[in-house]
Amino acid sequence: MRRRVSPDEELMTALYTEHYAVLLSFVLRYVHDRHRAEDLVQETLLRAWKHIDHLDTDPGRTRSYLLTIARNVVTNAWRAEQRRPHLVADEAAVNAMPSADNVDEMVEGWLVAEALERLSADHQAVVRAMYYEGQSVADAARKLSVPEGTVKSRAYYAVRALRTVFEEMGVLR
């Protein structure tokens, strides 16, 4: 059983076979990516199909009508592309961009340093070994020459003391 083809479908098939190559070469003048150009030609033919009642059967007028649609599609695509931010692949350009200032990080560092100075020397040593130097409990215990259990309890009480100091400083609620 053959499917009945409407006159509009026959017209679009004829437009595609007669004008696709011309439209593609026209679009490729402005778009240097073949896949992108093919997409734009498809968009052109889709717009022509949506307004198929405006098509004139004269071949010269049909081609000029399709080329006008193609020009508009290319122009719209270019405008849309200009509105999007461009990705920069140049490392030197990326590195030359100014970075956000680190004032917040500096203030936090001063607050933490001030809070650490309010701790006892034993608690400071454990916090520095475990949290700043990234040592394990066993490594910190060997470095500080104390049992592992002592390091664990000093770390626990140091964190509690830091929380209290931060609350006194108004950093935590």
Side-chain angles (χ1 to χ4, degrees):
M1 224 168 106
R2 283 188 67 190
R3 180 173 83 87
R4 290 193 73 132
V5 179
S6 71
D8 290 347
E9 287 182 54
E10 288 177 0
L11 180 60
M12 282 310 297
T13 303
L15 286 176
Y16 185 86
T17 55
E18 290 176 30
H19 301 288
Y20 182 82
V22 173
L23 288 170
L24 184 61
S25 65
F26 175 77
V27 172
L28 277 171
R29 289 185 204 164
Y30 304 103
V31 178
H32 301 292
D33 177 19
R34 182 169 181 88
H35 298 290
R36 179 84 175 119
E38 289 174 354
D39 288 343
L40 294 176
V41 170
Q42 291 296 326
E43 177 67 23
T44 300
L45 291 171
L46 180 67
R47 287 187 188 182
W49 178 62
K50 285 182 179 178
H51 302 286
I52 203 160
D53 52 320
H54 296 326
L55 272 174
D56 193 349
T57 54
D58 180 33
R61 289 186 178 176
T62 302
R63 181 166 286 176
S64 65
Y65 178 71
L66 290 173
L67 290 173
T68 300
I69 294 173
R71 185 192 69 222
N72 292 340
V73 167
V74 169
T75 302
N76 291 344
W78 179 82
R79 287 179 181 154
E81 188 177 308
Q82 296 306 308
R83 297 202 66 190
R84 292 187 192 103
H86 296 283
L87 296 177
V88 177
D90 184 16
E91 271 308 306
V94 171
N95 292 334
M97 290 295 297
S99 62
D101 60 2
N102 56 357
V103 173
D104 289 338
E105 293 175 13
M106 291 174 55
V107 170
E108 286 177 8
W110 291 333
L111 288 171
V112 170
E114 177 67 28
L116 277 174
E117 288 185 16
R118 295 185 185 183
L119 297 180
S120 69
D122 291 336
H123 288 145
Q124 285 181 24
V126 169
V127 168
R128 283 197 178 95
M130 290 183 65
Y131 296 104
Y132 282 101
E133 297 170 11
Q135 295 179 357
S136 66
V137 172
D139 292 338
R142 270 193 300 273
K143 178 183 174 189
L144 300 172
S145 303
V146 293
E148 289 181 22
T150 304
V151 170
K152 289 179 186 177
S153 66
R154 285 183 185 171
Y156 173 79
Y157 287 110
V159 169
R160 286 185 62 185
L162 279 174
R163 185 173 295 124
T164 304
V165 169
F166 283 136
E167 287 174 354
E168 290 172 359
M169 295 170 68
V171 177
L172 293 178
R173 293 185 224 168

